[in-house]
Amino acid sequence: MPKPAACAGMFLLIFLSSLVVSAEQIVRLSSPDGKVEVRLTVGTSIRYSVWYRKQQVVAASPISLTVDGVVPGKDGVVKKISRDSVRSVVTPLYGKFDRLTDEYRELRVDFSQPFSLLVRAYDEGIAWRWVTSFSSTITINSEEVGVALKPDCGALLSVTPKLTSWELPYTSYPSVRQVPDSNNVIVPALFTDRGLRVVVAESDVRDYPGMFLKKDGDGFHGFWAAYPKKETPYGGDWGMSTKVDEREDFIARTAGSRVFPWRVVILSDDDKKLLTNQLVYKLATPSLISDPSWIRPGKCDWEWWHDAIVGDAGFPTGMENRSTRLYKHYIDFAAGHGLEYTLIDAGWSNFYHLDTPQRVDIRELVDYGKKKNVGILVWCNATSLMGDLDHYMETFGKWGLKGIKVDFFDRDDQKIIHQQEQIAESAARWRLLVDFHGSPKPTGLQRTWPNVINYEAVRGEECSKWDTTSGPPYHLQIPFIRMLCGDLDYTPGSMRNRSRAAFVPISKGLPTTMGTRCHELALFILFDQYLAVLSDSPEAYRKYADIMAFLSAVPVSFDDTKVLSARLGEYIVLAKRRGNSWYVGAATDWTSRNLTVDLSFLGSGDYRADLLVDGKDADSNAESYRSETRTVNQHTKLQLHLASGGGAVIKIYKASI
């Protein structure tokens, strides 16, 4: 016989699951490990609160969705509350793990109107989303997402007065009270509550605008760009993007029966866990590509960052001399060093007629690349591409291109988000990879359409051409915040490295970067970039056989990832495995450090370790490095000295392999 307490619990669950109620009630949902809890207050309004280890993190905050003037809860009653518990395995096509455990507990609240609310509790955080079942097209007047935090919470945020930027540096706020009320906060947004990291994000944003946060007392509320009513070309980019002159009084018009984006709160009391958090990915819609076998992550050479200057090519180079001959030189370099792709940036075609090449013979380059096993990707702007999407995709596909870099979206209202999925779907029909540049941050579309291989939404290497924002401190922030929402198009690989004191931005010619050479190399391990674009000139790499050996070998997709040590904004030591080989990357901010690399994760037996580490004078001469080889095993604890802005990379493998 069940015990009386158990009978009472069963009765309560049956009661909640079947009763039609209008009175306010509180429903609790805990994560599988019991550390995370979300409490949902359901009545004439709906509020949620978040708890971690029995301490409140987010105070009661409102959530709602207004559809054609109708609000769940306010205009209806709860019809049913049900629960579920799920444990499954996700197998990513590429990433930093070959398998992900997707385990959560779920709560579903069905209302008397055609609304439902799904709430999930994971060990990594919580998420909720709306589901509607209207019979025809609906207008989303507004959505409400409150995030009430403690006033003494700290924050590390990218803030902007605009709705057009996802490539801004982070600002540290000792208290959320100091965050400007007027600015928009880009998500993912990181807050710190007495050592607990709280990250607000979103996932599975499809045919819907992206979310910003706005300051609201001691907390924040969600903010979305309204649907564009009137657009004009933006002349600042040669008319290649559009600006919104007037907006509608709603944020979306969409199918009446659908699921809406997940609102996500990630929680971690250990910075290391943020570096392996895959919650945004797991919440996204699974792949819609039935046969993804043609999707090939890889590395790529590229001409734009170094102004196409290849001093040892034996013929005139530079942006003014771009030609079919020049790009064959890049293809030769890629083929000689195991790079899968060559990317041809803006200028290969007429900006407004993407089927009209200029300067180069694209078909000849595609044929040449095929002989060398190097695929060709080309740049295009989003506005021109969307002007005749199917025609351009068919043209690119028939030319034999392997992918496109699409630039100048510059917005994340519903229209732009829908366009990005249209591009992904059309590209997939022609087996084309897509690299979104000048775009809003990812929210899981790379799982739904895995041919979307990269997103920018980061202050990449290009920013070193004009300011000091993209340096070691920023590199030690990105993996804990921006990378939670997905991979990035950073384009590392500079061989002209400078100390903090010596760095000067160079916009034309051969630019430099901040941090040591080994710090720059470590980014190929620390950053998730499934199209890893090497920024520098073939000439620069040819000077350093040991460095090129590493860049040729380091994968972009891995089977396992282990965080050996990490602290937000200060340092990271990360180990990633592909097959039987491990790749370790270490980096620090402007503080030089001595770090221990514990190799206990290795299997039995001896391994060979090839190291590239900062030279003795790397604090002042950032290009200084040394290479060495050691024999190591699972009992080895390597001692690394990282210079100011320094780093190290290690390839570990069985000598017989």
Side-chain angles (χ1 to χ4, degrees):
M1 290 288 291
K3 296 181 180 178
C7 291
M10 293 170 60
F11 174 79
L12 177 61
L13 179 59
I14 294 170
F15 177 79
L16 289 175
S17 301
S18 60
L19 184 63
V20 177
V21 294
S22 58
E24 187 171 273
Q25 58 182 300
I26 298 176
V27 188
R28 299 186 179 194
L29 182 70
S30 297
S31 61
D33 67 3
K35 295 177 182 177
V36 177
E37 182 182 68
V38 57
R39 300 179 186 179
L40 197 67
T41 302
V42 184
T44 55
S45 64
I46 302 169
R47 300 182 302 280
Y48 79 102
S49 60
V50 181
W51 301 69
Y52 185 77
R53 294 183 182 270
K54 304 189 183 303
Q55 298 294 316
Q56 190 177 68
V57 178
V58 178
S61 302
I63 56 175
S64 68
L65 187 72
T66 304
V67 178
D68 291 312
V70 178
V71 183
K74 179 180 179 182
D75 301 306
V77 293
V78 175
K79 183 169 63 176
K80 181 181 180 182
I81 297 177
S82 54
R83 295 175 181 268
D84 196 6
S85 182
V86 173
R87 180 182 172 88
S88 62
V89 173
V90 175
T91 306
L93 185 61
Y94 49 80
K96 49 192 173 190
F97 297 98
D98 59 1
R99 292 163 59 88
L100 298 172
T101 300
D102 191 21
E103 184 175 15
Y104 57 87
R105 292 175 180 168
E106 185 174 83
L107 184 74
R108 182 184 179 105
V109 182
D110 295 315
F111 294 88
S112 57
Q113 317 114 306
F115 289 95
S116 296
L117 177 64
L118 291 181
V119 184
R120 289 184 182 176
Y122 290 79
D123 294 348
E124 307 102 301
I126 65 104
W128 74 89
R129 80 183 325 170
W130 293 99
V131 182
T132 57
S133 54
F134 291 88
S135 59
S136 59
T137 299
I138 57 177
T139 298
I140 310 301
N141 307 107
S142 63
E143 182 178 356
E144 187 175 24
V145 172
V147 185
L149 301 167
K150 298 183 181 69
D152 60 348
C153 278
L156 188 59
L157 309 173
S158 289
V159 297
T160 173
K162 302 178 181 180
L163 293 171
T164 58
S165 298
W166 294 268
E167 300 142 6
L168 298 177
Y170 294 104
T171 301
S172 179
Y173 298 93
S175 165
V176 294
R177 288 175 172 169
Q178 298 175 19
V179 179
D181 292 350
S182 58
N183 279 353
N184 304 307
V185 177
I186 298 169
V187 299
L190 183 140
F191 305 94
T192 301
D193 180 359
R194 294 167 297 179
L196 179 69
R197 306 297 190 186
V198 182
V199 182
V200 179
E202 59 179 343
S203 180
D204 215 27
V205 180
R206 301 176 64 198
D207 194 27
Y208 199 82
M211 182 177 73
F212 291 85
L213 296 178
K214 272 191 178 294
K215 179 75 180 308
D216 186 3
D218 291 334
F220 296 81
H221 65 267
F223 181 74
W224 296 261
Y227 194 85
K229 185 175 184 179
K230 181 182 178 182
E231 303 170 70
T232 56
Y234 176 52
D237 294 317
W238 305 283
M240 286 191 292
S241 61
T242 58
K243 64 184 180 74
V244 178
D245 299 310
E246 187 178 353
R247 293 190 180 273
E248 302 282 2
D249 61 355
F250 58 86
I251 62 174
R253 187 162 283 156
T254 187
S257 182
R258 61 162 292 176
V259 295
F260 286 83
W262 288 103
R263 308 304 172 203
V264 184
V265 180
I266 293 169
L267 303 170
S268 179
D269 56 11
D270 183 347
D271 284 349
K272 292 190 293 184
K273 294 178 182 178
L274 290 177
L275 299 179
T276 55
N277 189 294
Q278 298 285 281
L279 191 51
V280 169
Y281 182 89
K282 288 190 284 190
L283 287 164
T285 300
S287 176
L288 298 177
I289 299 177
S290 57
D291 175 17
S293 59
W294 55 274
I295 298 174
R296 185 186 181 198
K299 297 188 289 290
C300 180
D301 60 359
W302 172 58
E303 90 291 64
W304 184 87
W305 185 76
H306 56 272
D307 280 3
I309 298 171
V310 189
D312 64 352
F315 55 87
T317 61
M319 299 299 273
E320 70 281 4
N321 293 311
R322 285 180 293 171
S323 64
T324 301
R325 183 184 185 187
L326 176 63
Y327 287 111
K328 284 184 177 180
H329 189 84
Y330 281 87
I331 293 170
D332 287 341
F333 176 78
H337 296 283
L339 310 183
E340 289 83 358
Y341 302 102
T342 289
L343 169 61
I344 302 175
D345 215 288
W348 69 271
S349 75
N350 182 292
F351 285 153
Y352 316 104
H353 302 285
L354 304 176
D355 54 359
T356 308
Q358 57 189 27
R359 298 187 179 187
V360 299
D361 187 327
I362 287 294
R363 295 191 186 192
E364 183 177 341
L365 289 173
V366 168
D367 289 342
Y368 189 76
K370 283 181 180 178
K371 295 175 184 176
K372 302 276 187 171
N373 199 30
V374 175
I376 306 299
L377 301 93
V378 298
W379 176 98
C380 59
N381 71 84
T383 302
S384 296
L385 183 66
M386 291 305 301
D388 201 347
L389 179 63
D390 291 337
H391 164 69
Y392 287 135
M393 288 299 187
E394 180 179 3
T395 299
F396 296 157
K398 288 182 175 179
W399 283 353
L401 294 176
K402 295 300 182 183
I404 53 176
K405 175 181 178 179
V406 191
D407 206 348
F408 293 117
F409 290 96
D410 296 338
R411 300 184 350 236
D412 74 341
D413 50 45
Q414 183 193 14
K415 184 174 181 179
I416 293 298
I417 296 299
H418 182 58
Q419 285 181 0
Q420 288 195 310
E421 185 154 9
Q422 286 179 294
I423 291 169
E425 182 176 8
S426 184
R429 287 198 294 272
W430 291 97
R431 298 194 164 195
L432 294 168
L433 302 178
V434 180
D435 174 5
F436 284 134
H437 212 69
S439 74
K441 85 282 179 183
T443 60
L445 191 66
Q446 64 274 31
R447 180 183 181 192
T448 310
W449 295 99
N451 60 317
V452 178
I453 203 80
N454 265 6
Y455 277 77
E456 187 187 17
V458 67
R459 292 200 69 73
E461 193 105 292
E462 66 178 45
C463 296
S464 65
K465 293 166 77 85
W466 45 75
D467 63 35
T468 61
T469 55
S470 186
Y474 183 64
H475 300 157
L476 274 300
Q477 295 169 337
I478 297 169
F480 299 92
I481 309 174
R482 159 63 179 83
M483 241 163 55
L484 287 169
C485 67
D487 48 308
L488 43 86
D489 188 15
Y490 184 87
T491 71
S494 162
M495 293 292 101
R496 285 175 300 282
N497 317 101
R498 299 293 183 266
S499 66
R500 188 178 190 179
F503 176 77
V504 177
I506 299 171
S507 61
K508 298 292 184 182
L510 294 173
T512 62
T513 52
M514 292 185 289
T516 71
R517 181 163 293 170
C518 289
H519 179 104
E520 190 78 7
L521 296 176
L523 302 183
F524 284 89
I525 298 171
L526 303 185
F527 289 171
D528 296 337
Q529 42 186 6
Y530 305 118
L531 180 68
V533 181
L534 279 65
S535 63
D536 221 328
S537 168
E539 176 191 13
Y541 297 122
R542 276 192 284 264
K543 297 175 183 177
Y544 307 101
D546 49 0
I547 287 176
M548 207 56 230
F550 165 75
L551 290 175
S552 296
V554 64
V556 298
S557 181
F558 297 87
D559 301 323
D560 193 13
T561 297
K562 295 185 182 299
V563 185
L564 306 185
S565 60
R567 186 168 179 82
L568 170 62
E570 297 182 15
Y571 60 88
I572 297 174
V573 183
L574 196 64
K576 292 182 175 179
R577 179 180 60 81
R578 177 68 176 269
N580 295 314
S581 298
W582 285 91
Y583 296 82
V584 178
T588 181
D589 59 2
W590 290 124
T591 301
S592 61
R593 300 179 192 278
N594 294 313
L595 297 175
T596 300
V597 181
D598 185 341
L599 300 183
S600 57
F601 57 84
L602 294 176
S604 60
D606 288 339
Y607 291 76
R608 174 171 170 166
D610 297 335
L611 296 87
L612 295 170
V613 297
D614 291 331
K616 292 182 178 180
D617 59 342
D619 286 293
S620 56
N621 175 16
E623 294 183 355
S624 175
Y625 77 98
R626 71 179 191 276
S627 57
E628 57 184 86
T629 298
R630 300 185 191 180
T631 298
V632 298
N633 57 43
Q634 61 186 203
H635 304 293
T636 301
K637 291 179 173 58
L638 293 174
Q639 303 300 318
L640 297 179
H641 175 75
L642 275 55
S644 172
V649 293
I650 311 169
K651 179 184 177 183
I652 305 173
Y653 55 102
K654 287 285 189 180
S656 59
I657 295 174

